[in-house]
Amino acid sequence: MNRITLNRIKDKGFLVTGIISTFIGLVLLLIFMADIFIEGAPRISWKFIVSLPSRIPERAGIYTAMMGSVWVLILTTIISFPIGVSAGIYLEEYAKQGRLSRLLEVNISNLAGVPSIIYGLLGLEIFARVMRLGSSVLAGSITLALLILPIIIVATRESIKAVPQSIRDASYALGASKWQTIYRQVLPASFGGILTGVILALSRAVGEAAPLIVVGALAYVPFAPRSPLDDFSILPIQIFNWISRPQHGFIVNAAAAIIILLIITFAMNGIAIYLRSRWQKRVSW
Amino acid sequence: MFTEAEIMDLIMTKDSKTEHLVNDIIDKPVEEHKITTKNVNVFYGDFKALKNISMKIRPFSVTALIGPSGCGKSTYLRVFNRMNDYINGFRLEGKVVIDGVNIYKDKIILEKLRKEVGMVFQKPNPFPKSIFDNVAYGLQIQGMKDKHFINERVETSLKKVVLWDEVKDDLKKNALALSGGQQQRLCIARTLAVEPNIILMDEPTSALDPISTGKIEELIFELKNEYTILIVTHNMQQAGRVSDRTAFFYLGELIEEGLTKNIFLNPKEERTENYITGRFG
Amino acid sequence: MIRTREQIIETFLLISAFITIFTTVGIILVLAIEAFKFFREVSVIEFFTSTEWTPLFTQKHYGILPLLSGTLLTSFIAILVALPIGLAIAIYLSEYAPKQFRTYVKPSLELLAAVPTVVYGFFALTVVTPFLQSFIPGMSGFNSLSAGFVMGIMIIPIVSSLSEDALNAVPASLREASYGMGSTRLQTAIKVTVPAASSGIVVSVILAISRAIGETMIVAIAAGQQPRFTINPLVPVETLTAYIVQVSLGDVQHNSVEYRTIFAAGITLFVFTFILNSVSHWLKNKYREKYE
């Protein structure tokens, strides 16, 4: 066999390797999900969703954890959305190139790489203890809001950057002030992209367990939170708790709760992808 | 590019229509200048983009700014509504006086200046909104709430640019759906709606087809009765067709300024002649 | 009027941007202060040299090495999985696959990173470990192998996506020159594009390692909670992150040494990821200059 044939065989060989590699992760994920579905799906019922936690696996439900997750999601959105978008606008439209904006930029890209559990330590010390919020929904939500802030800021900047300068020029030339131009032209034109980024960031927040465990979210809460200062649990922590129990019944519960968590996560990702494609179609200046 | 005879022809065909106007302008006393610039220098960082420009512009006239790319004619145009302010390192020395006010001193409010000095850009840049919203935008940002007034102003503005009949039935349509020429006329209407005195046009037809270009040029001719117009153009024929006076810029300097007819037929400077006859640029 | 309103808005936006600075300062202060208090009671030498970590037992030892080795072992296994697969995907997508295919595959791969990590922990514990146990006798129910393996799957998109960006940034002229000399696509990849994109690929791997080191739920669920100074992938270990979770779930008095241990573990973790992120940031800037 000569060199050229050998090289061609190697080339074809890599083609197969590449295709296998591309799909192996997705195939494994599919196998895992099938396994979870088989184990957990029969357990899902309306009763499972509206029942309180219990020592007996067959009676236990996810009501409190689910409501906790909803509370956390809403509060996190309220806190992170305005701050993240404002910071993104500042960096893209106001910050002059110089030391300050470089510092802000480097800082944000570093924050994006800080492990989530470290945010938990920050939340535990500052929000739960120094600000005396305790292990409340509010303390947890502020922590998660800070965690996803870099993602929202980056998404905001990217979308704003995509708005052509000519639109800003036209607005200024008509006598609009800087803020009028941003509020009436730049933000409406980039809103789809910003929304996509925010939803993706929130879908990450809804699956986070570690920082909230550190802040002090509980595995067992008998009631759904009624105010931002109440104790809480969330779906991922409930799942974590059930996984660590020895009885097989709880493993089944965990699988069932995972199905619900995955539905929420994938639905949010789906909405984000849909919004992105719609937005891209609309924006052809 | 052109022979002298062709240029002559060009100017002459226009002149029959505009002779009286040209004469009007010449007859006007000097105090009535709308815009005066005196010893204007513009810097971008270390780069000197405009060198010691002094020029006077009369009201209700069309002035064409011509010259090769990078000669500073667009920079000069943007001096009058301070659009250069957003460029990093921009600095201006000298005096720019509009209606007796130095617009680079005297606690100028940019928003008010730009209401008086409108601008039309090289590429049509309608907002990604409805036709109506585009024209109404300038009024809305001034806080105008009176719907009746806005409707009326939108209609008159669109009529002035001869777009009304084409779009009156779908004012709610997205402006991006219009053709390039329609978009540019919409952008002019948008500028007219805030009632400026001066209109700056930065190569307004360079992105358009010949038919649309013709329509815009007719429009400029009409608008001259109400507005003072400055137009930057690459197109010699266009300068000849629409302008009363022409200023030739080269490497940041104002080489020559005068009646369009004179600039095209008897330029005083060799560089002007070379440019106009297409020897460079 | 306009002026003051514009000023107020700009100030508000500036403050929003500064919240990110406060966050960083807050993190560093919290970790530093609590770690400082910790080191007033525990010797630094013991912390870095002792091979036992038993702050929750009566016989207390405060050696970080077992937690560190657990962290590095699981991350190492994860990279062993993610690097070859991720790189193969990147080369395949940039050199072989049609463009159309790439636009669909890339977002689907991102899905791997979107799955909540407790879910991956569940996979590791209930699917991967039993599967591996069926042909590795003596493998413990908690171990770093299956935790690391699943973590590796999770970080594939980090390696593949950033590496592919780097490969795509290689100028087409280099690729064409190689084809022109009769090279196959594989030879072109190995000899030309991968070396040219090497710094970008290194950045992707560093970021993936950083992500693996900071990952919490997978290892807390599947790797165990026994600090052990070992490189044996079949026995239970405990990572820095899993230890923090373990203490947070228990009842530990504030202001006790036990409470401060989580900040000592936290600052170790923070320093590690900070160094990795800074190196990747520095490399990224360096290679960006190279092409622009």
Side-chain angles (χ1 to χ4, degrees):
Chain A
M1 197 189 299
N2 65 23
R3 280 272 297 279
I4 292 176
T5 340
L6 188 67
N7 281 335
R8 293 195 62 173
I9 289 169
K10 277 189 195 163
D11 193 56
K12 285 276 176 291
F14 184 81
L15 182 67
V16 176
T17 317
I19 294 173
I20 291 173
S21 299
T22 307
F23 289 107
I24 192 164
L26 292 171
V27 167
L28 280 173
L29 192 64
L30 227 64
I31 293 173
F32 290 156
M33 291 213 269
D35 176 78
I36 282 191
F37 194 76
I38 291 163
E39 190 139 31
R43 182 72 182 80
I44 294 180
S45 64
W46 184 244
K47 205 167 147 258
F48 177 69
I49 293 171
V50 297
S51 292
L52 299 175
S54 162
R55 280 183 299 115
I56 303 150
E58 289 73 23
R59 281 201 209 150
I62 56 168
Y63 181 69
T64 53
M66 182 100 152
M67 291 316 285
S69 279
V70 171
W71 267 92
V72 168
L73 196 60
I74 292 172
L75 284 181
T76 304
T77 313
I78 293 174
I79 299 164
S80 63
F81 186 75
I83 298 179
V85 174
S86 302
I89 294 172
Y90 180 81
L91 285 170
E92 207 53 49
E93 298 282 341
Y94 286 87
K96 308 217 167 43
Q97 283 176 345
R99 275 233 184 99
L100 177 68
S101 68
R102 264 234 312 285
L103 174 74
L104 284 166
E105 254 164 61
V106 170
N107 181 53
I108 287 166
S109 80
N110 263 319
L111 274 182
V114 171
S116 62
I117 198 163
I118 301 280
Y119 284 89
L121 292 172
L122 175 77
L124 170 66
E125 189 77 2
I126 303 284
F127 309 132
R129 297 195 57 211
V130 175
M131 287 167 64
R132 296 179 184 282
L133 296 175
S135 302
S136 62
V137 184
L138 185 59
S141 302
I142 302 175
T143 307
L144 281 189
L146 293 183
L147 172 70
I148 62 171
L149 214 47
I151 312 177
I152 297 181
I153 294 175
V154 170
T156 303
R157 295 190 63 181
E158 293 294 319
S159 327
I160 288 182
K161 220 179 272 177
V163 178
Q165 181 62 33
S166 63
I167 293 295
R168 293 182 183 85
D169 285 347
S171 176
Y172 287 137
L174 289 169
S177 68
K178 187 154 194 163
W179 177 246
Q180 283 175 324
T181 300
I182 293 167
Y183 187 74
R184 287 167 171 269
Q185 297 300 342
V186 178
L187 284 185
S190 54
F191 196 67
I194 294 175
L195 207 59
T196 304
V198 171
I199 293 173
L200 283 178
L202 288 171
S203 90
R204 161 137 189 237
V206 94
E208 278 289 349
L212 296 186
I213 291 175
V214 179
V215 171
L218 304 171
Y220 175 82
V221 191
F223 301 106
R226 270 184 230 124
S227 91
L229 294 175
D230 284 351
D231 287 346
F232 69 109
S233 182
I234 51 165
L235 264 182
I237 295 181
Q238 180 71 71
I239 293 166
F240 174 56
N241 176 261
W242 278 336
I243 294 173
S244 3
R245 303 281 191 89
Q247 298 103 306
H248 182 73
F250 281 117
I251 296 290
V252 175
N253 282 359
I258 283 176
I259 295 176
I260 299 204
L261 180 63
L262 282 178
I263 289 174
I264 297 172
T265 314
F266 286 158
M268 290 176 82
N269 275 275
I271 293 170
I273 291 168
Y274 169 74
L275 277 176
R276 179 157 53 195
S277 67
R278 243 191 64 154
W279 175 65
Q280 276 170 350
K281 242 178 264 162
R282 229 197 56 191
V283 180
S284 49
W285 305 100
Chain B
M1 217 154 43
F2 314 109
T3 65
E4 212 156 287
E6 275 171 332
I7 294 167
M8 182 77 93
D9 201 36
L10 200 86
I11 304 301
M12 284 316 178
T13 49
K14 189 205 82 168
D15 254 2
S16 53
K17 268 195 283 183
T18 56
E19 192 87 54
H20 66 285
L21 279 171
V22 173
N23 291 336
D24 277 358
I25 289 161
I26 296 165
D27 291 340
K28 266 178 186 149
V30 178
E31 298 86 75
E32 276 186 45
H33 285 133
K34 183 79 182 165
I35 305 174
T36 317
T37 55
K38 209 173 167 203
N39 303 334
V40 167
N41 288 302
V42 167
F43 301 87
Y44 295 128
D46 292 335
F47 175 68
K48 197 169 182 181
L50 287 179
K51 295 166 190 164
N52 212 26
I53 311 285
S54 297
M55 196 169 147
K56 290 176 175 164
I57 293 159
R58 295 182 167 93
F60 307 112
S61 67
V62 177
T63 306
L65 311 178
I66 62 168
S69 303
C71 67
K73 57 191 190 298
S74 280
T75 298
Y76 187 60
L77 188 76
R78 286 162 176 257
V79 156
F80 301 112
N81 65 346
R82 296 189 55 175
M83 285 299 275
N84 292 321
D85 287 26
Y86 300 109
I87 297 167
N88 267 335
F90 168 79
R91 196 156 53 82
L92 182 136
E93 288 170 359
K95 264 183 161 179
V96 181
V97 179
I98 297 179
D99 289 332
V101 182
N102 182 349
I103 60 162
Y104 281 83
K105 285 257 171 65
D106 300 337
K107 285 203 173 169
I108 280 295
I109 296 175
L110 281 186
E111 289 78 21
K112 281 193 179 157
L113 169 69
R114 289 177 185 153
K115 195 188 148 307
E116 298 300 320
V117 186
M119 183 161 194
V120 178
F121 295 83
Q122 197 166 357
K123 257 174 70 184
N125 56 354
F127 301 125
K129 297 184 165 195
S130 73
I131 294 169
F132 182 89
D133 287 343
N134 263 279
V135 184
Y137 181 73
L139 297 171
Q140 283 164 353
I141 56 172
Q142 288 170 29
M144 173 59 65
K145 295 252 158 58
D146 184 346
K147 283 227 173 85
H148 186 70
F149 179 85
I150 294 178
N151 286 339
E152 214 161 79
R153 186 66 72 75
V154 168
E155 185 176 335
T156 48
S157 305
L158 285 171
K159 275 180 177 161
K160 273 186 194 168
V161 299
V162 209
L163 194 59
W164 177 252
D165 289 331
E166 291 163 60
V167 301
K168 67 179 175 209
D169 294 326
D170 33 24
L171 289 173
K172 292 272 163 273
K173 199 166 80 172
N174 194 314
L176 292 170
L178 296 174
S179 75
Q182 288 176 318
Q183 285 188 10
Q184 192 63 307
R185 277 184 283 152
L186 176 68
C187 290
I188 297 175
R190 184 174 68 181
T191 305
L192 299 183
V194 294
E195 300 204 313
N197 297 309
I198 299 168
I199 300 174
L200 311 174
M201 298 187 164
D202 191 356
E203 301 190 34
T205 60
S206 65
L208 303 181
D209 61 274
I211 294 173
S212 307
T213 301
K215 282 187 181 167
I216 302 263
E217 285 179 6
E218 271 171 44
L219 186 58
I220 293 172
F221 202 77
E222 288 297 316
L223 292 174
K224 191 167 71 168
N225 298 320
E226 289 177 65
Y227 306 90
T228 305
I229 297 172
L230 277 86
I231 178 168
V232 164
T233 180
H234 254 124
N235 182 332
M236 285 316 102
Q237 290 146 300
Q238 183 167 65
R241 284 192 298 263
V242 303
S243 72
D244 305 306
R245 296 179 76 88
T246 295
F248 172 62
F249 285 77
Y250 185 62
L251 297 176
E253 283 180 74
L254 173 61
I255 306 297
E256 195 173 347
E257 192 269 340
L259 284 177
T260 300
K261 190 165 82 174
N262 295 341
I263 294 282
F264 275 77
L265 296 183
N266 308 306
K268 294 191 194 78
E269 294 276 333
E270 205 189 327
R271 282 174 290 185
T272 315
E273 190 176 357
N274 287 344
Y275 180 67
I276 285 169
T277 51
R279 246 165 262 167
F280 70 90
Chain C
M1 242 286 278
I2 298 181
R3 237 61 356 231
T4 43
R5 205 191 62 165
E6 292 277 318
Q7 208 57 52
I8 292 167
I9 288 167
E10 184 169 348
T11 311
F12 174 77
L13 298 176
L14 177 68
I15 292 170
S16 299
F18 258 91
I19 285 180
T20 58
I21 302 268
F22 300 147
T23 307
T24 307
V25 172
I27 287 173
I28 292 172
L29 276 185
V30 164
L31 293 178
I33 290 172
E34 290 296 326
F36 178 74
K37 289 184 191 159
F38 172 80
F39 283 117
R40 274 200 312 213
E41 288 169 64
V42 175
S43 104
V44 181
I45 297 167
E46 184 189 355
F47 186 71
F48 284 113
T49 56
S50 167
T51 55
E52 280 183 78
W53 178 263
T54 55
L56 306 178
F57 298 147
T58 6
Q59 189 72 37
K60 294 184 193 312
H61 290 284
Y62 298 99
I64 198 72
L65 290 178
L67 294 185
L68 208 52
S69 70
T71 300
L72 295 179
L73 180 60
T74 48
S75 304
F76 180 70
I77 294 167
I79 286 298
L80 279 188
V81 174
L83 177 58
I85 296 180
L87 195 55
I89 294 175
I91 294 174
Y92 171 70
L93 288 183
S94 72
E95 311 293 323
Y96 288 77
K99 260 216 167 93
Q100 191 69 19
F101 182 72
R102 195 158 62 199
T103 53
Y104 286 107
V105 163
K106 261 193 141 178
S108 338
L109 282 171
E110 301 292 334
L111 215 59
L112 289 175
V115 174
T117 54
V118 273
V119 179
Y120 276 116
F122 183 86
F123 295 146
L125 187 70
T126 65
V127 182
V128 179
T129 297
F131 174 73
L132 291 176
Q133 273 173 329
S134 64
F135 50 90
I136 308 178
M139 187 185 192
S140 168
F142 296 110
N143 58 75
S144 42
L145 184 58
S146 39
F149 174 79
V150 169
M151 206 148 76
I153 303 283
M154 181 185 75
I155 59 176
I156 285 175
I158 300 182
V159 178
S160 68
S161 157
L162 292 174
S163 296
E164 204 234 311
D165 290 344
L167 288 171
N168 271 330
V170 174
S173 56
L174 281 183
R175 217 169 263 134
E176 282 157 9
S178 170
Y179 289 142
M181 290 184 297
S183 304
T184 62
R185 288 172 295 191
L186 182 62
Q187 285 171 315
T188 306
I190 292 171
K191 300 231 170 73
V192 180
T193 40
V194 170
S198 57
S199 45
I201 294 170
V202 172
V203 167
S204 80
V205 174
I206 293 175
L207 287 178
I209 295 173
S210 166
R211 180 84 170 75
I213 285 179
E215 172 44 41
T216 306
M217 298 318 288
I218 298 177
V219 285
I221 292 169
Q225 301 192 329
Q226 297 174 31
R228 195 185 301 232
F229 191 52
T230 179
I231 53 162
N232 181 351
L234 304 179
V235 295
V237 294
E238 184 163 45
T239 64
L240 290 162
T241 51
Y243 174 75
I244 298 174
V245 165
Q246 186 193 1
V247 173
S248 300
L249 286 172
D251 265 329
V252 171
Q253 278 293 308
H254 285 316
N255 284 324
S256 63
V257 187
E258 290 78 27
Y259 176 73
R260 281 174 197 138
T261 53
I262 61 174
F263 291 91
I267 201 166
T268 312
L269 178 66
F270 181 75
V271 167
F272 258 80
T273 52
F274 182 79
I275 291 172
L276 288 171
N277 292 338
S278 302
V279 168
S280 75
H281 197 78
W282 175 77
L283 266 176
K284 207 174 0 184
N285 282 343
K286 226 179 100 172
Y287 97 96
R288 194 178 290 154
E289 277 161 24
K290 210 171 79 185
Y291 283 121
E292 276 170 11

